[in-house]
Amino acid sequence: MIVYGVALLSVCLILGMLIGEVLGVVLGVDANVGGVGIAMLFLVMASNSKRFKSLTEGTSGAGIQFWSAMYIPIVVAMAAQQNVAAATEGGMIAIIAGVAAVVVSFALVPVLSKIGADTKASPGQGQPGSKL
Amino acid sequence: MELIETVLVRNNLIVAFSVVGVTIWISYLLANKLTAGRIHGSAIAIAIGLVAAYIGGVTTGGSKGVADIAILSGIGLMGGGMLRDFAIVATAFGVHFSELKKAGVAGVISIFAGVIVSFIVGAAVAIVFGYTDAADITTIGAGAVTYIVGPVTGEAIGASDAVITLSVAAGLVKSILVMIGTPLVARYIGLDNPQSAMVYGGLMGTTSGVAAGLAATDPKLVPYGAMTATFYTGVGCLLGPSVLYFIVGIMFQ
């Protein structure tokens, strides 16, 4: 049943969001701390475990794959509702601060990726998610 | 005319599906015909989305881009936080645990490094532009982290409304630039494997920017970048009004 996969996905997201919200309260932060990331961990665990096989294989899995495939269209819709006008009206300081932050962060990607590779001499990469 | 509008508004989410579908179809056509596949179709679709958002924002005066136009209000639901997070989590389906563990340490380091570096850059720009008040400098620095961390920090430490608005604008510029810039620089920063995608997500942090940036670069990398990026705003909200404000306060009394 397709809905089983969709339900599993939903439960993962809700559990992750709840934990993220609790983390926010515990840390005294007015934000959800990593709720989506935690939900993703749940889904990874469920899809790698035998116990949830009936919820992740066959047509049930198709229910999750559908939403995974809808990701790009949803991101396009997300782009179409950004407050682009406000971003351009913020003046020079907003533009310079935003651009500079992005440029410096981009430059750090290869540096930090190297640190990760050094600490763990990593042979044979597994096939990353082939579901997309 | 009224009849058509009523039907479209009443079925706004369905309208959104068809509008986005047509947009993506046109984008892939352009990508294949005009750029011979060199620019990813989804990158073009996202760019069209952003241009439409700008036009929508300017014509309606609202803050939700194209979604402020009544017949396109479904775009707001389709691209809103709820479905976005749902789809992001779905991309993790089929990811191997070992990949996540391999980049775990670098991923965590990158989240803190990303927040702190963006904050320093934003704060430095604020200082260059003549701000001397610690709360103002901190808020603009926090805006360069993300457009959520800016106002959360600003409100917590009592910055002025004008500065908070500025911090949101800085965060929006960052988010949009990440969307557009990622596919262009991906090759030069080695963004082609799960490990670097996790580091990238942690460094950039803006969930929408990372989500769109990776979608336009290589959809296989999305779950890895999104995983770390979703912790970024929380860490930013944690550090902004506390440690970072404290340090700026010592420097600018």
Side-chain angles (χ1 to χ4, degrees):
Chain A
M1 294 275 269
I2 278 190
V3 73
Y4 293 163
V6 179
L8 174 70
L9 178 59
S10 311
V11 170
C12 288
L13 179 56
I14 290 166
L15 280 181
M17 282 299 191
L18 280 174
I19 293 173
E21 212 64 35
V22 170
L23 270 178
V25 172
V26 169
L27 295 169
V29 176
D30 190 15
N32 188 295
V33 180
V36 174
I38 295 164
M40 293 169 88
L41 283 177
F42 283 142
L43 187 66
V44 170
M45 286 192 280
S47 62
N48 286 331
S49 126
K50 281 202 184 95
R51 194 175 296 172
F52 291 94
K53 220 172 180 179
S54 61
L55 299 181
T56 56
E57 286 191 344
T59 47
S60 298
I64 305 174
Q65 275 161 14
F66 171 78
W67 284 104
S68 177
M70 279 302 282
Y71 171 76
I72 287 176
I74 284 172
V75 162
V76 172
M78 177 195 78
Q81 55 150 331
Q82 297 292 307
N83 198 352
V84 183
T88 55
E89 283 159 11
M92 279 317 279
I93 178 165
I95 293 172
I96 293 175
V99 170
V102 173
V103 170
V104 174
S105 301
F106 272 148
L108 280 178
V109 172
V111 179
L112 285 183
S113 302
K114 218 172 284 168
I115 292 174
D118 283 349
T119 45
K120 321 222 156 177
S122 52
Q125 289 189 9
Q127 270 308 102
S130 52
K131 296 287 189 272
L132 288 166
Chain B
M1 267 316 276
E2 237 182 67
L3 193 123
I4 298 173
E5 203 181 320
T6 315
V7 171
L8 294 184
V9 171
R10 205 186 290 150
N11 298 291
N12 62 1
L13 181 60
I14 313 301
V15 172
F17 287 148
S18 55
V19 169
V20 171
V22 169
T23 307
I24 290 179
W25 178 69
I26 294 171
S27 304
Y28 276 80
L29 205 70
L30 289 175
N32 290 332
K33 293 266 146 80
L34 286 185
T35 73
R38 243 169 305 159
I39 298 177
H40 211 289
S42 45
I44 295 177
I46 289 161
I48 292 176
L50 288 171
V51 171
Y54 176 76
I55 296 168
V58 170
T59 51
T60 65
S63 63
K64 287 179 65 194
V66 123
D68 281 322
I69 300 167
I71 56 167
L72 293 174
S73 55
I75 300 271
L77 181 55
M78 182 179 173
M82 184 168 63
L83 286 182
R84 183 199 64 194
D85 292 345
F86 197 55
I88 287 180
V89 175
T91 63
F93 188 53
V95 162
H96 291 281
F97 213 60
S98 52
E99 288 294 335
L100 297 178
K101 270 209 304 225
K102 223 186 289 176
V105 178
V108 172
I109 294 173
S110 72
I111 296 168
F112 284 90
V115 168
I116 292 166
V117 163
S118 286
F119 178 85
I120 292 173
V121 170
V125 171
I127 294 166
V128 168
F129 272 79
Y131 285 89
T132 50
D133 179 64
D136 290 349
I137 295 168
T138 305
T139 303
I140 295 169
V145 177
T146 70
Y147 57 79
I148 296 170
V149 178
V152 165
T153 302
E155 276 158 33
I157 62 178
S160 68
D161 281 348
V163 169
I164 290 176
T165 309
L166 203 59
S167 76
V168 174
L172 283 171
V173 170
K174 177 181 180 183
S175 165
I176 291 163
L177 195 65
V178 172
M179 291 184 200
I180 301 170
T182 302
L184 302 177
V185 300
R187 198 178 321 155
Y188 306 103
I189 60 174
L191 185 56
D192 57 5
N193 59 73
Q195 284 91 325
S196 62
M198 279 181 80
V199 167
Y200 157 86
L203 279 171
M204 297 299 151
T206 144
T207 312
S208 38
V210 166
L214 285 178
T217 306
D218 182 356
K220 279 201 288 291
L221 300 178
V222 166
Y224 303 99
M227 175 86 68
T228 43
T230 60
F231 285 91
Y232 183 93
T233 290
V235 170
C237 292
L238 185 63
L239 298 181
S242 56
V243 184
L244 295 173
Y245 178 49
F246 183 70
I247 294 171
V248 174
I250 292 172
M251 295 165 70
F252 293 86
Q253 278 166 345

